[in-house]
Amino acid sequence: MKAKNLYLATALCAGSLAFCNVANAQDVFVDDAVTVTEFTCDNTTHYFSNWRNNWFIELGAGAGQPLVERGNVGDAMNTVDGKKWTAAYSVGFGRWFSPYLGFRIKAIGGALHWDCPVAEAPQYGWSRSKHVNLQAELMWDMFNSLGGVNEKRVFSIIPFFGIGGDANWDFKNHFGEQPAATNIARAGSTYKPKSVQWTLPVSAGLQFRLRLSKYVDFFAEARATFYGDNWNNVATGNSIDAHVSAMGGFSFNIGGRGWNKFNECQYVSQIAALNGQVNDLRAQLLACGQQVAALQAQLPCPEVVQKDCANAPLMATVRFTINSDKIMPTEEVNVYSMAEWLKANPKEKIVIAGYADKDTGTSEYNMDLSQRRAEAVKNALVNEYGIDASRLETKAFGSDVQEYPSHNDWNRIVIFKQ
């Protein structure tokens, strides 16, 4: 009987040393017992995307009308001519940073026509020019902000506001003549003809967007741009010149389109369940430690070489959202931890096992999805952390194997195995 106790004590002591001397677990874990925590959250859904996604290019055309001072001989020189609509063209480039806010650079150009004869010198009443306007604009998706985010919404209204620069040149009067380099002045007004007028305008407007497909939108846009009084090379009457335009065109998506979602409340129950598992495991470890301590009190423990736990493998996991093989930012730390372990153990090889939940998708689809998840993790280890691909093997289990049968969502996962 004593021999059996000796063998049992030897085995238990060896096991305790293999777990880094947990023979004194009673002293270690009693004070550190884990309790289930009550978690709170505000049920807010956060949206994010890769920097490559949600870029767009716009091409448009329409008509514009300058609103500047004019006046025939003998008239007051502060009335507005509203009958000189001309063609206008635009190109834009930008990105949506969130479902609510975007930014774009937009260029608009074309010819301008207006009537502005000067009573004292009709030759300075230039009525034609060409201009280009470059604007940096902030865009707001009003429907997503007020009605909730909907990636498949067909129609949206987007107010925008911007600032920029404008070049206005090639001034000609109604006789087709260029302005002379002579200043003319009279009470209340000054005319300073220049070959090019540079101004810093501000603009605002509304864009009406109609989604045609995943890659193409049609838009109709109305805007008003406001300039200093010298925009049309005549400074008189009202202190602000303006230009209004209406345009239509197409917006082309040049990156991925859509948003990843994260709601911390979805994970509260999972955290509580994991917390409970930790409590159970610590209780079992404490019970084992108490048994070891009791046997050690009866028999001397043979000397056993202590195992170094510094290189114990870190078996991390990588979770995924439903129907996705993209590694979430919150899971990248687990890929990093696995890479650090592989670097610390250069002779070790691992199996990257991919899974999918059984409640969504067919068995065949889930098998392919789990393979893509495993490959995504392998590519991250190889391309981002320099791990040799020969040390990594991928296996797909789909939804045929459920590592977490009681928690369906937990099976959207990749598990590292030796």
Side-chain angles (χ1 to χ4, degrees):
M1 186 68 179
K2 291 184 179 180
K4 292 182 179 180
N5 287 339
L6 178 60
Y7 295 148
L8 179 60
T10 302
L12 288 173
C13 287
S16 65
L17 291 174
F19 279 98
C20 299
N21 293 325
V22 297
N24 295 323
Q26 184 174 5
D27 297 331
V28 174
F29 293 113
V30 168
D31 295 333
D32 296 335
V34 177
T35 58
V36 176
T37 305
E38 292 293 334
F39 297 94
T40 59
C41 57
D42 58 7
N43 202 28
T44 300
T45 300
H46 304 277
Y47 295 89
F48 61 92
S49 70
N50 189 287
W51 68 269
R52 302 182 187 90
N53 296 345
N54 299 304
W55 294 90
F56 62 88
I57 293 177
E58 292 181 349
L59 298 176
Q65 163 70 61
L67 303 179
V68 296
E69 58 280 280
R70 75 175 178 90
N72 295 315
V73 175
D75 292 344
M77 298 194 55
N78 58 2
T79 57
V80 173
D81 184 7
K83 302 178 182 179
K84 300 295 182 182
W85 288 88
T86 54
Y89 308 94
S90 69
V91 59
F93 175 75
R95 180 176 185 259
W96 287 96
F97 296 105
S98 74
Y100 317 108
L101 293 176
F103 177 81
R104 72 177 175 186
I105 302 295
K106 185 148 187 171
I108 302 174
L112 300 173
H113 291 181
W114 70 94
D115 289 333
C116 186
V118 179
E120 289 82 352
Q123 67 271 27
Y124 293 100
W126 313 304
S127 60
R128 288 183 289 169
S129 69
K130 299 174 184 177
H131 90 116
V132 170
N133 184 353
L134 185 66
Q135 294 279 313
E137 297 176 340
L138 182 66
M139 308 172 70
W140 174 48
D141 192 316
M142 185 169 62
F143 281 15
N144 274 350
S145 299
L146 302 181
V149 177
N150 182 354
E151 297 178 4
K152 297 183 180 180
R153 180 175 282 116
V154 175
F155 179 73
S156 299
I157 297 179
I158 303 172
F160 59 87
F161 171 81
I163 59 175
D166 185 281
N168 202 357
W169 75 96
D170 195 22
F171 295 97
K172 294 182 179 179
N173 62 18
H174 50 287
F175 299 112
E177 299 172 345
Q178 297 285 347
T182 304
N183 292 343
I184 296 179
R186 70 181 185 126
S189 61
T190 302
Y191 310 92
K192 299 180 179 180
K194 295 181 179 180
S195 59
V196 180
Q197 282 285 3
W198 298 92
T199 50
L200 300 175
V202 297
S203 63
L206 288 176
Q207 182 184 90
F208 303 90
R209 186 179 66 188
L210 181 65
R211 178 178 177 138
L212 302 181
S213 71
K214 181 179 179 181
Y215 303 100
V216 182
D217 296 333
F218 171 79
F219 71 87
E221 185 172 294
R223 73 168 54 229
T225 307
F226 303 94
Y227 304 84
D229 192 24
N230 62 326
W231 177 53
N232 65 330
N233 230 349
V234 176
T236 186
N238 296 325
S239 59
I240 296 177
D241 291 341
H243 183 259
V244 294
S245 61
M247 291 190 173
F250 296 93
S251 177
F252 303 93
N253 174 40
I254 58 175
R257 185 169 186 168
W259 305 95
N260 295 319
K261 296 185 292 185
F262 169 74
N263 189 326
E264 59 185 6
C265 291
Q266 297 176 351
Y267 300 94
V268 168
S269 60
Q270 298 180 20
I271 295 173
L274 291 173
N275 207 358
Q277 293 180 24
V278 171
N279 286 339
D280 293 340
L281 292 173
R282 291 175 75 96
Q284 295 175 22
L285 187 58
L286 178 60
C288 290
Q290 290 172 341
Q291 293 179 16
V292 171
L295 291 172
Q296 283 182 325
Q298 299 177 22
L299 298 171
C301 187
E303 183 177 354
V304 180
V305 178
Q306 181 173 346
K307 183 177 179 180
D308 183 9
C309 292
N311 292 323
L314 175 62
M315 291 293 110
T317 62
V318 181
R319 296 187 181 275
F320 293 82
T321 58
I322 186 170
N323 194 29
S324 173
D325 59 0
K326 295 181 180 179
I327 301 175
M328 297 184 296
T330 54
E331 296 296 308
E332 290 178 357
V333 64
N334 296 328
V335 180
Y336 169 80
S337 298
M338 195 67 245
E340 290 299 304
W341 183 84
L342 287 167
K343 292 177 181 178
N345 299 272
K347 295 183 179 180
E348 295 289 341
K349 296 183 179 181
I350 64 170
V351 175
I352 304 173
Y355 298 86
D357 70 272
K358 66 179 180 180
D359 287 351
T360 56
T362 63
S363 177
E364 293 78 6
Y365 180 84
N366 287 338
M367 186 65 69
D368 177 69
L369 177 60
S370 64
Q371 180 66 42
R372 287 188 279 119
R373 285 171 173 169
E375 291 294 336
V377 174
K378 176 181 178 180
N379 292 337
L381 289 170
V382 173
N383 299 329
E384 298 181 20
Y385 299 104
I387 303 302
D388 189 344
S390 64
R391 301 174 60 193
L392 309 174
E393 178 185 358
T394 60
K395 288 187 177 181
F397 294 92
S399 55
D400 298 339
V401 177
Q402 298 287 274
E403 291 288 321
Y404 304 98
S406 300
H407 299 277
N408 179 67
D409 293 351
W410 293 12
N411 292 292
R412 302 165 189 153
I413 197 170
V414 159
I415 298 177
F416 299 105
K417 300 181 179 181
Q418 284 185 293

